[in-house]
């Protein structure tokens, strides 16, 4: 039926059939419709992402204070920024936070996924419950965890009122531990989401492979470690890339939870940039901070990109 | 010396009885094939033997050891799966020796074992590759290697050839047969393909709806199918069936085909058949036993048939015949000259007829 309807079609559109194989046309002309279709988004990305990134790079090398000043001052903004303890704390926090957040979230997410995969009753409601935090605004998460972790109102107060007088859980008010408190809240927010990714991957694992491992004498832990987890490696890469992106963007959680405090002990580069740009009239240094975040991102992502390109070249 | 005995084995999932009292015995060096259509419980039975599923009732013994409640890994059983079930993240060598790795065998020893097994399967050159880089046939060889390296008491095969194309299936089938002759380990093999069953087995258990419909040697099952189900399932093309009725008594007892009142009934040679006059039977005859043409003066049912279709397979000719409202398939030697549309006399020799009770569908006599 479809064949006969094809046959009665009118003569093909001049650009139709031949276009793809480029008979008589070449270069840009033959791909014109494709270029036309993607040009709006391409233009927007070129201007608003790459254009402004370049502009920010320029500003970071300029003498800008409250308003842009296009007189170039070389790397002076960077030198001043790296001389500030506030920036060093923020940069150190970002490294600690990203590493802990990504590793702990992957581990907790995997654990939840493995437990959910044991044919538990009521899996669907459980899955929804675990996924729900990801739908909550980071501001809400931040405020809720601020109260939970506050020694005067949260877990510590509860345990003490329950009779455990010596109980201490005051990470959030101590400058050397506050970043771990933020990791706890961030892990809570995303672990359920990651567990759903892992659960989908676990469901795709060949059941016969698991049986084969059992007959080979591997116990449950060995089977997960040597057989199942290596088989779901692609899910680790997807989840890891997403989590690194989340970690680098983290801003609202810190603002809501600790307002960078105590002092500036929980500052992150993103909050540092915000402070410099909008509170202290240091546009040049803010730009230097922003470019530094971009460099961080590149350092983390580049090995992965290179590896992916290598792999596609090999094929 | 490994004998596998299964007695009174039952397996239920909730209220569904997947296996209803299975009794099977495999002798040392025996090759048992579990043959049946999908859903007959043959794979479940294999999983129960492997210890991957727990039996609801009954017992499984290897020699004199009751293994019904023994953990899968302690049964000394290796299994080859339909999907190959290789570990994708490991090299071929590591796949083969993973069981040794779990037991803590040193690396050098594992490598040596992998090399020995790979040599016997002609996959030495693949040892450092990943499963994703192998073809289907190579993967199945690796899976067989993984079973071989353990020198288990019993080999289990779960439809290992189903994912291979015809050429590879024949090659791998021959490989399995050769390995069995060399290693001689007791094996249980699940398939729905009757030609695999016939070529590999020393014993076949034909399964239907969770029960063993017939248990015997391939020759027995082919020559004396215990029921209409077995007769239809084993043999390709399948057996032809016609409806008939027993007429008369004692030595004068004859078989009359239903709907062919003008055809002379045939005297039944065999005496002592437990049939009474008026007994409704199903008459079966294998395609290669139908004689086309006047034939010799043998006893049998003589019918007039129209040739409907002739299929040349090269080694022989399949002839589709129309007799009244029935369709019969006959297998003839390739030199037979037959023209579609013409009428031919055919003979169904009495000694090649299989009789089944039409009610119970079970074989009548011997």
């Amino acid at each position: 039926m479809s064949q006969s309807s094809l046959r009665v079609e009118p003569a093909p559109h001049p650009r139709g059939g031949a276009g793809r194989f480029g008979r008589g046309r070449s270069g840009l002309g033959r791909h014109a419709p494709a270029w036309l279709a993607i040009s709006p988004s391409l233009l927007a990305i070129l201007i608003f992402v790459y254009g402004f990134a370049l502009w920010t790079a320029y500003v970071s090398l300029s003498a800008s204070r409250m308003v842009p000043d296009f007189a170039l001052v070389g790397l002076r903004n960077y030198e001043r920024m790296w001389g500030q303890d506030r920036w060093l704390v923020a940069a150190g926090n970002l490294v600690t936070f990203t590493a802990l957040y990504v590793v702990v979230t992957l581990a907790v997410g995997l654990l939840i996924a493995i437990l959910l995969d044991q044919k538990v009753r009521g899996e669907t409601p459980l899955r929804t419950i675990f996924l729900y935090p990801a739908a909550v605004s980071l501001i809400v998460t931040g405020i809720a965890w601020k109260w939970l972790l506050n020694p005067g109102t949260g877990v510590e107060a509860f345990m003490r009122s329950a009779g455990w007088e010596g109980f201490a859980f005051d990470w959030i008010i101590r400058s050397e531990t506050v970043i771990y408190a933020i990791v706890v809240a961030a892990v809570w927010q995303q672990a359920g989401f990651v567990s759903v990714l892992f659960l989908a991957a676990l469901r795709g694992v060949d059941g016969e492979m698991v049986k084969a491992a059992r007959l080979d004498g591997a116990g449950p832990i060995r089977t997960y470690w040597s057989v199942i987890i290596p088989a779901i490696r692609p899910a680790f890469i997807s989840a890891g890339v997403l989590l690194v992106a989340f970690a680098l963007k983290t801003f609202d959680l810190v603002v809501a939870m600790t307002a960078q405090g105590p002092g500036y002990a929980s500052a992150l580069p993103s909050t540092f940039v915000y402070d410099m740009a909008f509170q202290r009239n240091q546009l040049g240094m803010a730009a230097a901070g922003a470019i530094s975040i971009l460099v961080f991102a590149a350092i983390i992502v580049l090995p992965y990109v290179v590896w992916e390109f290598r792999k596609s070249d090999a094929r | 010396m490994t004998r596998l005995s299964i007695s009174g084995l039952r397996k239920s999932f909730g209220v569904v009885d997947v296996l209803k009292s299975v009794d099977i015995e495999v002798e040392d060096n025996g090759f048992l094939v579990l043959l049946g259509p999908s859903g007959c419980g043959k794979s479940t039975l294999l999983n129960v033997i492997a210890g991957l599923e727990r039996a609801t009732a009954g017992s499984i013994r290897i020699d004199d050891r009751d293994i019904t409640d023994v953990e899968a890994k302690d049964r000394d059983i290796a299994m080859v799966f339909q999907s190959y079930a290789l570990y994708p993240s490991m090299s071929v060598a590591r796949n083969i020796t993973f069981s040794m790795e779990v037991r803590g065998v040193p690396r050098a020893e594992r490598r040596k074992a992998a090399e020995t097994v790979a040599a016997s399967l002609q996959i030495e050159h693949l040892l450092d590759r990943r499963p994703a880089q192998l073809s289907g046939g190579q993967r199945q060889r690796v899976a067989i290697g993984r079973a071989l390296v353990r020198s288990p008491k019993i080999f289990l095969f779960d439809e290992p050839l189903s994912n291979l194309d015809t050429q590879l299936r024949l090659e791998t089938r021959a490989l399995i047969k050769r390995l069995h002759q060399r290693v001689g380990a007791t094996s249980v093999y699940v398939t729905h393909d009757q030609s695999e069953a016939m070529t590999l087995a020393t014993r076949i258990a034909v399964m239907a709806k969770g029960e063993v419909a017939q248990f015997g040697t391939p020759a027995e099952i082919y020559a004396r199918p215990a029921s209409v189900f077995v007769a239809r399932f084993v043999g390709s093309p399948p057996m032809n069936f016609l409806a008939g009725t027993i007429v008369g008594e004692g030595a004068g007892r004859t078989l009359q085909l239903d709907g062919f009142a003008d055809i002379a009934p045939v005297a039944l040679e065999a005496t002592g058949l437990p049939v009474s006059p008026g007994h409704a039977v199903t008459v079966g005859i294998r395609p290669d036993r139908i004689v086309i043409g006047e034939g010799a003066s043998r006893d049998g049912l003589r019918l007039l048939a129209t040739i409907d279709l002739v299929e040349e397979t090269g080694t022989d000719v399949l002839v589709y015949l129309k007799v009244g409202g029935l369709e019969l398939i006959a297998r003839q030697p390739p030199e037979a000259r037959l023209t579609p549309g013409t009428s031919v006399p055919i003979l169904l020799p009495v000694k090649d007829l299989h009789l089944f009770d039409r009610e119970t569908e079970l074989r009548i006599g011997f």
Side-chain angles (χ1 to χ4, degrees):
Chain A
M1 200 204 121
S2 63
Q3 269 189 341
S4 61
S5 69
L6 273 179
R7 239 177 274 139
V8 297
E9 252 184 337
H13 190 272
R15 210 181 279 138
R20 234 192 128 140
F21 303 98
R23 252 173 271 151
R25 282 167 190 271
S26 64
L28 208 61
R30 120 180 102 110
H31 293 301
W35 281 108
L36 198 67
I38 63 164
S39 58
S41 53
L42 192 66
L43 202 67
I45 290 171
L46 280 178
I47 294 172
F48 294 107
V49 177
Y50 295 96
F52 282 105
L54 283 175
W55 190 78
T56 306
Y58 183 86
V59 170
S60 76
L61 300 174
S62 75
S64 306
R65 287 289 170 107
M66 194 167 114
V67 289
D69 174 347
F70 295 108
L72 286 174
V73 293
L75 291 173
R76 197 188 307 155
N77 284 324
Y78 290 91
E79 281 162 18
R80 279 176 54 214
M81 186 178 75
W82 281 99
Q84 278 195 36
D85 186 51
R86 192 184 184 91
W87 168 259
L88 293 177
V89 168
N93 275 346
L94 182 66
V95 173
T96 313
F97 177 78
T98 306
L100 279 177
Y101 167 67
V102 172
V103 170
V104 176
T105 309
L106 287 177
V108 173
L110 180 65
L111 187 69
I112 294 174
I114 288 174
L115 294 178
L116 275 178
D117 199 28
Q118 308 303 312
K119 292 174 184 150
V120 287
R121 198 171 292 214
E123 185 201 308
T124 312
L126 281 174
R127 224 164 46 201
T128 311
I129 289 169
F130 284 121
L131 185 57
Y132 205 77
V136 174
S137 154
L138 277 165
I139 298 289
V140 176
T141 304
I143 290 171
W145 279 95
K146 179 163 93 180
W147 291 337
L148 275 172
L149 295 177
N150 186 312
T153 56
V155 179
E156 185 176 307
F158 175 78
M159 293 302 277
R160 288 192 177 179
S161 71
W164 187 351
E165 294 292 336
F167 185 84
F169 189 49
D170 56 355
W171 287 2
I172 199 167
I173 58 164
R174 291 155 54 120
S175 55
E176 64 273 27
T177 52
V178 62
I179 193 70
Y180 304 123
I182 293 174
V183 169
V184 169
V187 167
W188 176 84
Q189 172 101 13
Q190 292 300 339
F193 168 67
V194 170
S195 79
V196 172
L197 288 184
F198 281 143
L199 187 60
L202 287 176
R203 290 288 148 83
V205 169
D206 178 14
E208 292 195 336
M209 194 176 78
V210 179
K211 286 182 186 174
R214 227 173 116 189
L215 285 172
D216 270 347
I221 293 170
R222 185 67 190 255
T223 304
Y224 270 106
W225 185 251
S226 300
V227 176
I228 298 178
I229 292 176
I232 60 167
R233 216 184 53 134
F236 270 92
I237 292 172
S238 323
V241 168
L242 286 175
L243 289 176
V244 167
F246 286 143
L248 293 177
K249 286 194 300 195
T250 302
F251 172 78
D252 28 12
L253 188 64
V254 171
V255 169
M257 230 175 125
T258 62
Q260 309 187 50
Y264 49 79
S266 59
L268 286 175
S270 56
T271 61
F272 175 90
V273 169
Y274 178 82
D275 276 359
M276 291 300 150
F278 300 110
Q279 316 262 325
R280 303 191 176 201
N281 301 331
Q282 295 282 356
L283 210 48
M285 215 194 295
I291 293 299
S292 300
I293 299 177
L294 191 66
V295 173
F296 277 145
I299 289 171
I300 298 176
V301 174
L302 264 182
Y304 171 68
V305 172
V306 169
W307 179 70
E308 278 287 303
F309 267 94
R310 277 247 185 92
K311 216 170 61 173
S312 55
D313 275 356
R315 279 200 190 135
Chain B
M1 291 300 288
T2 309
R3 280 161 46 82
L4 174 70
S5 355
I6 297 166
S7 59
L9 192 76
R10 291 203 307 114
K11 173 69 188 172
S12 314
F13 292 103
V15 292
V16 185
D17 292 329
V18 180
L19 296 174
K20 309 161 194 162
S21 190
V22 171
D23 297 277
I24 287 175
E25 189 97 357
V26 193
E27 72 278 25
D28 184 37
N29 296 347
F31 200 111
L32 168 72
V33 172
L34 302 174
L35 176 67
S38 51
C40 70
K42 57 192 191 300
S43 287
T44 306
L45 177 55
L46 200 70
N47 282 341
V48 173
I49 296 172
L52 297 168
E53 303 270 7
R54 205 152 271 278
T56 309
S59 74
I60 307 168
R61 308 175 141 272
I62 294 181
D63 298 329
D64 291 320
R65 177 167 169 241
D66 188 330
I67 58 154
T68 318
D69 296 315
V70 174
E71 273 294 311
K73 64 183 166 68
D74 300 323
R75 291 192 179 193
D76 205 359
I77 281 176
M79 188 155 167
V80 176
F81 295 89
Q82 177 179 355
S83 69
Y84 323 127
L86 300 179
Y87 313 126
S89 60
M90 301 182 193
S91 68
V92 166
R94 207 172 151 215
N95 258 288
I96 291 176
T97 56
F98 184 63
S99 59
M100 304 172 75
E101 191 184 321
V102 171
R103 275 185 280 123
V105 176
R107 181 178 289 267
E109 206 174 311
R110 295 200 311 253
R111 184 73 197 183
K112 222 176 135 202
E115 276 165 5
T116 314
V117 166
S120 72
L121 295 165
Q122 285 133 41
I123 50 172
E124 308 100 303
H125 57 295
L126 304 175
L127 277 179
D128 295 314
R129 298 227 193 135
R130 292 287 163 93
Q133 297 166 303
L134 306 181
S135 70
Q138 291 170 332
R139 284 182 210 188
Q140 198 53 289
R141 278 169 186 253
V142 175
I144 292 169
R146 187 167 64 180
L148 273 178
V149 80
R150 294 173 49 192
S151 1
K153 284 196 159 152
I154 295 181
F155 282 95
L156 304 180
F157 297 88
D158 191 0
E159 308 214 19
L161 308 182
S162 299
N163 287 2
L164 302 175
D165 63 41
T166 318
Q167 176 79 35
L168 271 173
R169 200 176 305 168
L170 292 180
E171 275 175 29
T172 314
R173 190 173 82 186
L175 172 78
I176 291 174
K177 182 140 189 153
R178 223 174 293 129
L179 279 175
H180 180 251
Q181 280 170 1
R182 205 184 66 211
V183 181
T186 307
S187 306
V188 182
Y189 184 108
V190 161
T191 183
H192 59 263
D193 183 308
Q194 54 96 23
S195 65
E196 273 173 37
M198 299 301 279
T199 47
L200 289 170
T202 60
R203 287 296 170 93
I204 296 178
V206 184
M207 296 192 58
K209 294 176 185 146
E211 284 172 308
V212 177
Q214 188 171 6
F215 180 53
T217 65
E220 274 166 21
I221 283 177
Y222 187 81
R224 325 194 51 74
S227 66
V228 173
F229 173 82
V230 176
R232 188 174 289 144
F233 204 79
V234 177
S236 172
M239 188 183 271
N240 299 292
F241 295 102
L242 308 104
T245 309
I246 304 291
V247 180
E249 267 190 272
R253 192 162 51 183
T254 57
L255 171 68
Q256 173 79 58
L257 281 186
D258 292 4
F260 294 93
D262 50 330
I263 303 292
V266 65
L268 289 173
E269 285 173 347
T271 52
L273 288 179
V275 287
S276 47
H279 198 119
V281 295
T282 298
V283 181
I285 182 157
R286 297 236 176 247
D288 51 335
R289 300 300 177 156
I290 295 180
V291 180
I292 295 184
E294 285 304 331
S297 56
R298 274 186 284 176
D299 276 346
L301 294 160
R302 291 180 184 279
L303 300 162
L304 195 64
T306 312
I307 298 173
D308 184 32
L309 189 69
V310 178
E311 279 184 353
E312 309 254 359
T313 65
T315 48
D316 46 29
V317 179
L318 298 182
V319 188
Y320 291 71
L321 301 163
K322 279 222 187 306
V323 186
L326 295 169
E327 183 167 276
L328 302 178
I329 301 176
R331 188 204 288 271
Q332 298 295 308
E335 57 274 12
R337 292 264 173 275
L338 299 160
T339 321
T342 56
S343 286
V344 285
I346 62 167
L347 170 72
L348 314 181
V350 69
K351 68 171 179 52
D352 294 322
L353 296 181
H354 302 256
L355 293 187
F356 305 95
D357 187 299
R358 207 181 307 159
E359 199 74 15
T360 63
E361 301 216 319
L362 294 178
R363 183 181 191 84
I364 296 172
F366 347 63

